[in-house]
Amino acid sequence: MGQEINSRGQRRKMRDQEKKQKKPMKVWLKRLLIAIVSVGIVLFIAGATLFAYYAATAPDLDEELLKDPVSSKFYDSDGKVFYTMGLEKREHVAYEDIPEDMKDAILATEDVRFFSHNGIDFYRLGGAILANLTQGFGAQGASTLTQQVIKNTFLQNEKTLKRKAQEAYLAIQLEREYSKEEIFEMYFNKVLMSGRIYGYGTASKYFYGKELKDLKLEEMALLAGMSQLPNAYNPFKYPENAEKRRNTVLGLMYQHKKITKEQMEEAKSVDVEVGLLPENKRKTVSTSKYDAYIDIVLKELAENGDGKSLEEGINVYTTLDSSAQKIVESTMNSDIFPTKEIQSGMAVIDTETGAIVAVGGGRNYGPERGLNYAEAIKNQPGSTMKPLMDYGPAIENLKYSTGQTITDEKMFYTGTSKQINNFDKLYKGDMTLREALYTSRNVPAVKLFKEVGPDKAKKFVNNLGIEADEIYESDAIGGGKISLSPIEMAGAYAAFGNNGIYTSPHSIKKIVYRDGKTAKSYTPDPTPAMNDYTAYMVTDMLRDVVGPKYGASGTTAAIPGLDIAGKTGTTNYGADEFQKYNLPESAVPDSWFAGYSSKYSISVWSGYKNRKDPITTTDERLLSQRLFKTVMSQISANTTTPNFKKPNSVVEAKIVKGSNPLQLASSSTPADRTSTELFVKGTVPTNTAPVEEVEKLEAPTNLKATFDEEANAINLTWAHKEPKDKSVTFEVSVSVDGGGEQKLTQTSDKAYTYSTPQDGKTYVFSVIAIADNEKSEAVSTSIQIQAAPPEEEVTPPEENEQPEVPEVPVVPEEPNEGDNGTNNPDNGTPPVDNTEGIKPDEDEEEVDTSGTNDDPSNDNKQATNSNDQYQ
């Protein structure tokens, strides 16, 4: 019994101890709960106080601002306003005139509970908070139509507590002072739809040429979806984006029971471009002088998430050079174009900063008339890709010299039977990298690409802002998967002129919000894209493209007195396209020229809107070069443009052309076999070509001049010792009575006949031998043509008297040499045949219009090859 009592007592003790232990825990829990509630109350009071403060400092509701869009201003590089957006004429639509399907489409997309909330949709707000917590801040918005009206009218687009608080407060105030119908009408008429289009009524007329009441369901859905990203969903420019967004809206309408499934599917099946106004019927709403440039700015704003900010009234500070833009537009609308339909796009970029200073969107450009050819086209670049994909990477990664020997020979794409052709269907053997580039040979370009490797080539072009997921051998000559716009091309080439530093092309410096204080910078940071030696060595080779060397492909773009570099490019049709479009053999779809100075980088594309319409003539092919020359010469006229400066990492050396490995030229190496080339410092070859015994070209000998009285001609003959392995010609010249020397002919014969010499004149003939640009010393001889004596009466002789024999004139002995006069020849010199042996004018460009197609097999992932037509 005692043990039992003890057991009970022990149990009682244990229970008491447990109670004592649990009591402090409850106390702490109670205290913690009180503390949390207290902190919550404090935070609530603080939040309420802060909200009250923000509400008190919120702007007043202004009915005029509520009904009209706030203007945004655009400034040029000098800080002058060149365009004010928001002043355009618009269609105002009363609420009762808005079709029900249009209302349903907007509400299903933007604010399905609009008619049931008081300005703030707490249900949607909770969902947005949850999405932001699970998917990251900004994953989902919760703004109602009322809040959007407030934000776009009175507040700036910033994600701050102050803006959200003021937006919520003013939304509630707006709901108290205006009816739902009035608020919906405000939103409907002031929302930015695309570019410079405000309000759904204006958009209906602009895109479809219809009143709202005449729109079909799919057309209303398209317009309802545009306001989220106005420029990205423009059906004129981005029909694929617009179609996806339209179908999303139709899906939301079905989800919220605004339409049936059958209506949704029927509307989705309609091609998005059906019903849109054709290009020739679109009416302009622009009030700007610089439409093409404004398009670039609007696109950049949209890409940076600030497209909707235009509704709030921002100041946009651009990189526009107004004077350069005027020159570009004047040129794009001039008579320089060889046909009425051919188009061009142009981008002018600051070489050092990457700033887009001017653009040519097309001939007679207007934002309502289709593509902005400066940025919207993405075409194969042709041979303008060679410095970017082949020569730049070879110097950067392999440290090749500009004199590196490479062989232009028969070659096939790897793993195929497809032959790589040059523009002239010929192969020219060993040459330097420099010659291969300025004559735009295709085989050497593909060889360099293979030597560097696709991974390193891809990295090189990626550093120049060119996106390339996969590249192929055909990309080495610009006929592969990579397509570029003039802006992208000009930006990439600018890095060569800027010591290898690349800055992404941009049209905006910064934007400043309505408060005048808050700003957002748009200026990108410059990044090293290549070594300075690569940039300069490529530039020096590209100088020769526009230089006077034989075979240079870009001489039409040359500007005397201005240090420029550049590259031509043309693309080809595929074999199937030639057959499909019934094209002539000489047809090409695209012509490019990209060139730069130390100040500006300009890229020009030319071609036709429809690919089936080909470039066929010389004038069409040269258009890009002529546009470049016209604009570059004018924008450079009133500014100082320094020459490209050779960095310390580059050295010059004279090499023996064709040597492999390279040899330095010796003092005896013939000039025609040497070339001064550039090397990365530390890579100059150390071996010198052996001294050669140069066989001197001997002068002609035994030069004689004899007069044939019966033929009235002077016959010249001479002898000459022929050198080994050289073809010799002879240049014959004459000087009359000490006058200037005149070239008569260049012949391979050792004789020449000078016709109809004049009595009383003294003729000095000179002959020199010529072989492989080497000339011998001259040998000369002279001859005087005596005048015939006057006839005299002859008296019969006396008997035994002998008749007088007239004195015979003595022809002077011919000297071996005579002097060479330097004055003008006697005007009485008879005409001579000066055509034999004379070479054609080397400045005359020969055009090969045959065999320009090179279409690598699609089965081997090769795209259409490109060739330069002018060499």
Side-chain angles (χ1 to χ4, degrees):
M1 186 72 177
Q3 288 181 351
E4 186 178 344
I5 293 172
N6 288 338
S7 296
R8 290 177 179 174
Q10 287 174 354
R11 286 196 296 271
R12 192 180 295 114
K13 263 186 181 181
M14 291 174 66
R15 285 196 296 268
D16 291 342
Q17 287 176 357
E18 287 176 0
K19 287 180 180 180
K20 288 179 181 179
Q21 289 175 353
K22 289 180 179 180
K23 188 174 181 180
M25 188 177 295
K26 288 182 179 179
V27 171
W28 281 108
L29 287 173
K30 185 177 180 181
R31 289 176 181 174
L32 180 61
L33 182 60
I34 293 171
I36 291 173
V37 172
S38 300
V39 170
I41 292 171
V42 170
L43 290 176
F44 177 78
I45 294 172
T49 303
L50 185 62
F51 182 85
Y53 169 73
Y54 286 152
T57 57
D60 296 329
L61 295 179
D62 185 321
E63 185 172 357
E64 185 175 343
L65 290 177
L66 284 167
K67 293 184 178 179
D68 293 320
V70 181
S71 298
S72 292
K73 293 183 178 180
F74 292 69
Y75 298 80
D76 65 15
S77 58
D78 293 326
K80 298 178 181 178
V81 176
F82 69 90
Y83 174 60
T84 300
M85 183 174 176
L87 301 180
E88 291 85 1
K89 182 181 179 182
R90 73 209 66 229
E91 298 283 336
H92 186 89
V93 182
Y95 179 81
E96 55 269 21
D97 295 327
I98 303 173
E100 287 301 317
D101 280 344
M102 187 83 248
K103 296 174 189 175
D104 289 341
I106 294 171
L107 293 176
T109 307
E110 297 292 333
D111 189 359
V112 72
R113 280 175 291 278
F114 173 71
F115 282 97
S116 60
H117 61 64
N118 65 347
I120 302 173
D121 187 345
F122 290 101
Y123 179 85
R124 187 176 180 186
L125 179 62
I129 293 173
L130 182 61
N132 290 334
L133 289 173
T134 57
Q135 302 173 30
F137 183 70
Q140 182 176 315
S143 293
T144 62
L145 287 186
T146 311
Q147 287 174 288
Q148 290 186 53
V149 170
I150 291 297
K151 177 172 68 72
N152 295 340
T153 306
F154 302 109
L155 306 174
Q156 62 192 48
N157 188 20
E158 55 180 349
K159 293 180 179 180
T160 64
L161 184 60
K162 178 181 179 181
R163 199 267 286 175
K164 284 293 184 182
Q166 291 182 339
E167 181 184 292
Y169 169 74
L170 289 174
I172 294 171
Q173 294 298 109
L174 186 64
E175 292 269 357
R176 288 177 178 174
E177 296 188 26
Y178 294 89
S179 69
K180 287 286 187 179
E181 291 76 12
E182 288 175 313
I183 295 171
F184 189 91
E185 184 179 315
M186 292 174 189
Y187 172 82
F188 191 86
N189 287 296
K190 72 179 300 172
V191 66
L192 178 64
M193 293 298 293
S194 181
R196 286 152 264 187
I197 308 299
Y198 286 92
Y200 289 96
T202 310
S204 178
K205 291 281 189 70
Y206 178 72
F207 290 107
Y208 293 104
K210 299 178 182 179
E211 299 287 347
L212 283 166
K213 62 182 178 61
D214 298 321
L215 291 177
K216 298 177 181 178
L217 175 61
E218 62 270 13
E219 295 168 343
M220 293 181 187
L222 184 143
L223 295 181
M226 288 183 63
S227 62
Q228 185 186 57
L229 293 173
N231 292 303
Y233 294 140
N234 184 323
F236 287 161
K237 297 182 178 181
Y238 310 105
E240 291 183 4
N241 293 348
E243 183 172 6
K244 289 179 182 178
R245 180 61 178 165
R246 179 201 68 182
N247 291 346
T248 297
V249 173
L250 289 168
L252 289 169
M253 292 180 74
Y254 170 65
Q255 177 185 330
H256 295 298
K257 298 180 171 47
K258 304 296 183 182
I259 57 175
T260 66
K261 186 176 182 179
E262 291 73 19
Q263 288 176 305
M264 176 188 72
E265 291 177 347
E266 182 181 354
K268 282 185 177 183
S269 68
V270 179
D271 189 314
V272 73
E273 295 187 80
V274 171
L276 291 175
L277 276 179
E279 191 172 319
N280 60 356
K281 292 186 178 180
R282 297 171 194 171
K283 296 180 180 179
T284 181
V285 296
S286 171
T287 57
S288 169
K289 297 180 293 184
Y290 308 128
D291 289 332
Y293 194 92
I294 291 172
D295 270 2
I296 305 299
V297 175
L298 294 177
K299 186 172 185 288
E300 192 169 336
L301 284 169
E303 289 173 345
N304 283 272
D306 292 313
K308 296 283 286 184
S309 297
L310 292 165
E311 298 176 3
E312 305 156 20
I314 59 174
N315 291 326
V316 184
Y317 291 86
T318 76
T319 59
L320 171 71
D321 182 329
S322 298
S323 60
Q325 183 66 33
K326 289 176 182 176
I327 290 170
V328 170
E329 293 192 357
S330 174
T331 304
M332 296 296 287
N333 296 321
S334 69
D335 59 3
I336 195 173
F337 291 84
T339 69
K340 291 182 179 180
E341 294 81 18
I342 195 168
Q343 271 290 2
S344 283
M346 177 185 294
V348 183
I349 288 177
D350 187 295
T351 302
E352 185 176 354
T353 67
I356 302 172
V357 299
V359 295
R363 299 173 68 183
N364 305 306
Y365 179 77
E368 300 78 18
R369 289 188 286 273
L371 290 177
N372 185 326
Y373 290 101
E375 59 87 18
I377 63 159
K378 293 273 192 172
N379 287 10
Q380 288 180 331
S383 289
T384 52
M385 202 66 186
K386 291 174 182 176
L388 309 174
M389 187 66 76
D390 315 316
Y391 291 86
I395 295 173
E396 180 75 9
N397 295 284
L398 306 177
K399 295 188 177 180
Y400 276 174
S401 162
T402 60
Q404 176 78 23
T405 299
I406 195 162
T407 305
D408 182 22
E409 59 189 344
K410 189 175 182 179
M411 182 179 175
F412 299 88
Y413 285 105
T414 302
T416 77
S417 60
K418 180 60 186 176
Q419 187 171 329
I420 302 171
N421 292 320
N422 292 305
F423 80 100
D424 52 8
K425 298 290 185 178
L426 301 175
Y427 302 104
K428 296 196 172 183
D430 290 345
M431 59 180 60
T432 63
L433 292 195
R434 181 185 296 277
E435 183 180 358
L437 181 54
Y438 75 69
T439 58
S440 201
R441 311 301 290 176
N442 285 339
V443 171
V446 178
K447 280 189 173 183
L448 287 179
F449 174 84
K450 294 178 68 174
E451 290 175 20
V452 171
D455 291 339
K456 290 180 180 178
K458 176 180 175 181
K459 181 181 178 182
F460 191 88
V461 297
N462 285 346
N463 288 342
L464 297 173
I466 298 172
E467 296 182 4
D469 296 329
E470 293 182 276
I471 57 176
Y472 307 102
E473 288 177 9
S474 54
D475 282 304
I477 51 179
K481 299 293 184 182
I482 296 175
S483 296
L484 299 177
S485 70
I487 288 178
E488 291 170 322
M489 182 78 76
Y493 268 73
F496 290 127
N498 191 34
N499 302 311
I501 304 300
Y502 171 78
T503 305
S504 180
H506 57 285
S507 62
I508 305 174
K509 297 178 183 176
K510 64 178 180 179
I511 60 174
V512 178
Y513 294 99
R514 190 183 304 163
D515 62 0
K517 299 176 182 178
T518 309
K520 178 180 178 180
S521 175
Y522 268 62
T523 304
D525 294 326
T527 57
M530 68 190 86
N531 284 294
D532 58 358
Y533 58 75
T534 302
Y536 183 78
M537 290 167 69
V538 170
T539 294
D540 194 57
M541 290 191 290
L542 293 180
R543 281 166 161 164
D544 286 339
V545 172
V546 296
K549 291 186 176 180
Y550 178 77
S553 60
T555 55
T556 300
I559 302 172
L562 189 64
D563 191 9
I564 59 173
K567 186 68 189 77
T568 56
T570 53
T571 64
N572 277 352
Y573 288 105
D576 57 332
E577 291 178 301
F578 274 96
Q579 185 175 4
K580 179 180 178 182
Y581 302 137
N582 191 27
L583 300 172
E585 190 177 10
S586 61
V588 298
D590 307 285
S591 173
W592 287 87
F593 186 81
Y596 56 97
S597 67
S598 61
K599 194 166 182 66
Y600 298 108
S601 178
I602 301 177
S603 176
V604 186
W605 166 88
S606 296
Y608 288 87
K609 180 181 178 181
N610 296 317
R611 185 173 172 85
K612 66 179 181 179
D613 297 326
I615 291 172
T616 57
T617 67
T618 301
D619 283 341
E620 289 170 293
R621 290 189 180 94
L622 292 177
L623 176 60
S624 292
Q625 293 187 52
R626 288 170 176 157
L627 287 169
F628 168 88
K629 179 175 183 176
T630 300
V631 172
M632 179 66 91
S633 58
Q634 289 187 42
I635 64 176
S636 302
N638 298 318
T639 186
T640 301
T641 303
N643 289 347
F644 299 112
K645 185 178 179 181
K646 184 175 71 174
N648 294 330
S649 58
V650 176
V651 293
E652 289 184 358
K654 185 176 288 188
I655 56 101
V656 179
K657 289 193 294 185
S659 56
N660 193 9
L662 287 180
Q663 290 182 321
L664 296 176
S666 68
S667 58
S668 64
T669 306
D672 62 309
R673 289 177 51 201
T674 67
S675 177
T676 300
E677 300 294 348
L678 302 179
F679 291 81
V680 178
K681 192 173 184 179
T683 66
V684 178
T686 56
N687 57 324
T688 302
V691 176
E692 301 181 24
E693 290 185 10
V694 181
E695 182 183 0
K696 186 177 180 180
L697 185 63
E698 295 188 8
T701 58
N702 199 26
L703 174 63
K704 293 182 179 180
T706 58
F707 177 62
D708 184 339
E709 185 174 0
E710 184 177 348
N712 191 26
I714 300 172
N715 295 318
L716 296 176
T717 59
W718 62 88
H720 185 257
K721 182 181 179 181
E722 297 280 341
K724 296 179 180 178
D725 302 324
K726 288 185 178 180
S727 177
V728 179
T729 59
F730 302 94
E731 184 177 286
V732 182
S733 302
V734 67
S735 171
V736 182
D737 283 350
E741 189 173 74
Q742 181 185 20
K743 180 180 174 181
L744 298 176
T745 189
Q746 187 167 326
T747 178
S748 58
D749 296 332
K750 298 183 182 68
Y752 177 74
T753 298
Y754 183 88
S755 303
T756 61
Q758 293 185 342
D759 291 344
K761 302 285 186 181
T762 298
Y763 295 87
V764 178
F765 294 95
S766 298
V767 180
I768 62 173
I770 301 174
D772 294 342
N773 296 321
E774 182 183 358
K775 293 185 178 183
S776 72
E777 294 181 356
V779 294
S780 301
T781 188
S782 65
I783 185 172
Q784 183 180 26
I785 306 302
Q786 294 286 358
E791 293 185 3
E792 297 180 3
E793 290 186 8
V794 179
T795 304
E798 299 269 342
E799 190 176 346
N800 298 326
E801 184 179 351
Q802 296 294 325
E804 184 176 342
V805 179
E807 184 177 352
V808 178
V810 180
V811 178
E813 188 176 333
E814 298 124 356
N816 289 328
E817 295 184 12
D819 66 341
N820 296 319
T822 57
N823 299 320
N824 292 329
D826 188 280
N827 290 332
T829 303
V832 295
D833 180 2
N834 196 23
T835 61
E836 183 182 356
I838 302 301
K839 295 180 180 179
D841 185 357
E842 289 187 355
D843 291 334
E844 208 170 289
E845 196 167 52
E846 295 185 8
V847 181
D848 187 306
T849 58
S850 64
T852 58
N853 309 313
D854 200 357
D855 182 26
S857 171
N858 290 329
D859 293 337
N860 292 284
K861 295 187 178 180
Q862 302 292 347
T864 304
N865 181 21
S866 68
N867 301 299
D868 283 310
Q869 305 298 315
Y870 294 85
Q871 306 302 317

